[in-house]
Amino acid sequence: MSMISHLFSIRATTCLTRNILRATPIRLLSSASSSPNKTTNANDHILPKELPSSEKRKAKFNISWKTVSVTFIGAASLIAFIYYLDQRKMQKRKVLQRAAVGKMAIGGPFSLITHERKPVTDKDFRGQWLLIYFGFTHCPDICPEELEKLSEITDLLRRDKSTQKNPFQPVFVSVDPERDTPELVSTYIKDYSPHFIGLTGTREQVAEMCKHYRVYFSQGPKVGDDYIVDHAIIMYLINPNGEFVDYYGRNKNAKEVAYAIEQHMNAFKESNK
């Protein structure tokens, strides 16, 4: 009897052990499957959430008016600078073209006397910029106006330090040599500027220079001892090499002429570097 009871006890223990072993993996799997969810939930509070698609579009195209304005101003400034450089090149090209054409048509050698009675030729003025005006001391209105303008041009150009290498020299040439002696020319030009040089000479010498510079002049009818000389009203610009560069009529004021001469001076400096 006790033997039979012992066998039943062993069998019951075996069944209980088997049931415990079967139940243990299920619990382990259940706990393993539940722990990642807890970790993920915990990390949800640490990692940043992803932006919605509408917010992404706003961030992608978020360009302020300040950025647009700065970009526009920068582009406009660049275009303006390029345009300025192009215009400057065109201006220099025109200056050089006019100078090349003028060299063959106007200018040439001359031999005259200064207002200080010193004989001079065109070679004595090499190394200087000359602005030559042809007139006469008895001119009632036009010559005084043009000489006032020549004086203003001289003052404007002498202020510019860049012209010191090749100084600027204004020159007055009389087309009335019969009356315009060196003494009279000296008194006349001093009323306008101390920087003027006056030139006169014999009628043949004056006529020769006027021929080279294509300057028309003609003595009008006399009224007693007085008469008017009809002449061209033009200023001629000569470079330091003694070559004709440009001319200016009454339609140009002093500032316009001074600016044009400065452009020629700069072009000459660039071409002789």
Side-chain angles (χ1 to χ4, degrees):
M1 186 72 184
S2 62
M3 186 69 151
I4 294 170
S5 299
H6 182 66
L7 289 173
F8 277 110
S9 177
I10 294 172
R11 188 173 180 179
T13 303
T14 303
C15 291
L16 178 63
T17 302
R18 189 182 296 129
N19 291 333
I20 291 171
L21 291 174
R22 286 177 181 176
T24 300
I26 295 172
R27 290 174 182 173
L28 291 173
L29 288 173
S30 177
S31 62
S33 62
S34 62
S35 61
N37 291 333
K38 292 180 181 180
T39 305
T40 303
N41 292 335
N43 290 338
D44 285 347
H45 298 287
I46 298 173
L47 298 175
K49 294 182 179 180
E50 187 176 1
L51 292 173
S53 58
S54 61
E55 293 295 330
K56 285 183 180 179
R57 286 195 295 270
K58 289 181 181 180
K60 185 177 181 180
F61 298 103
N62 186 18
I63 301 175
S64 65
W65 282 107
K66 184 178 180 180
T67 303
V68 174
S69 301
V70 171
T71 304
F72 178 79
I73 292 172
S77 300
L78 179 61
I79 293 171
F81 181 68
I82 294 173
Y83 177 78
Y84 166 76
L85 292 179
D86 289 340
Q87 291 297 312
R88 189 175 179 183
K89 288 181 180 179
M90 289 178 61
Q91 182 68 23
K92 287 183 178 180
R93 194 179 298 116
K94 289 180 181 179
V95 167
L96 294 175
Q97 288 175 351
R98 290 185 66 182
V101 172
K103 288 176 187 176
M104 299 181 292
I106 299 175
F110 61 84
S111 179
L112 295 170
I113 300 172
T114 71
H115 64 279
E116 297 176 338
R117 286 194 169 275
K118 295 179 181 179
V120 292
T121 68
D122 56 294
K123 295 180 180 179
D124 294 315
F125 293 99
R126 297 293 168 85
Q128 303 178 65
W129 285 92
L130 304 182
L131 189 58
I132 305 173
Y133 176 75
F134 294 83
F136 64 107
T137 62
H138 291 77
C139 182
D141 47 19
I142 295 176
C143 289
E145 292 176 1
E146 292 299 291
L147 290 177
E148 287 285 355
K149 183 168 72 175
L150 181 57
S151 177
E152 186 178 351
I153 294 168
T154 303
D155 292 339
L156 289 171
L157 292 176
R158 288 178 70 88
R159 293 174 190 168
D160 187 1
K161 295 181 180 180
S162 64
T163 62
Q164 290 180 357
K165 183 178 179 181
N166 297 112
F168 175 78
Q169 178 60 61
V171 178
F172 170 79
V173 180
S174 173
V175 293
D176 186 16
E178 285 82 358
R179 290 184 296 185
D180 288 344
T181 63
E183 293 78 15
L184 186 57
V185 171
S186 177
T187 303
Y188 183 68
I189 62 176
K190 286 179 181 177
D191 290 337
Y192 298 98
S193 173
H195 305 295
F196 284 7
I197 288 180
L199 300 180
T200 188
T202 66
R203 185 172 184 82
E204 290 74 19
Q205 289 175 320
V206 171
E208 184 69 17
M209 184 177 182
C210 289
K211 179 180 178 181
H212 288 309
Y213 282 84
R214 308 295 191 267
V215 174
Y216 164 81
F217 73 102
S218 176
Q219 181 177 310
K222 288 187 176 182
V223 180
D225 293 331
D226 195 17
Y227 57 88
I228 296 295
V229 179
D230 187 22
H231 63 90
I233 308 168
I234 297 174
M235 296 181 186
Y236 296 89
L237 181 66
I238 310 299
N239 70 18
N241 294 334
E243 302 163 336
F244 167 77
V245 176
D246 206 350
Y247 66 91
Y248 312 101
R250 296 183 68 188
N251 60 320
K252 298 285 186 179
N253 61 42
K255 290 183 179 180
E256 291 172 333
V257 175
Y259 176 78
I261 293 175
E262 285 179 345
Q263 299 303 307
H264 287 298
M265 289 177 170
N266 292 333
F268 181 83
K269 188 184 298 182
E270 291 293 328
S271 63
N272 287 275
K273 280 186 175 180

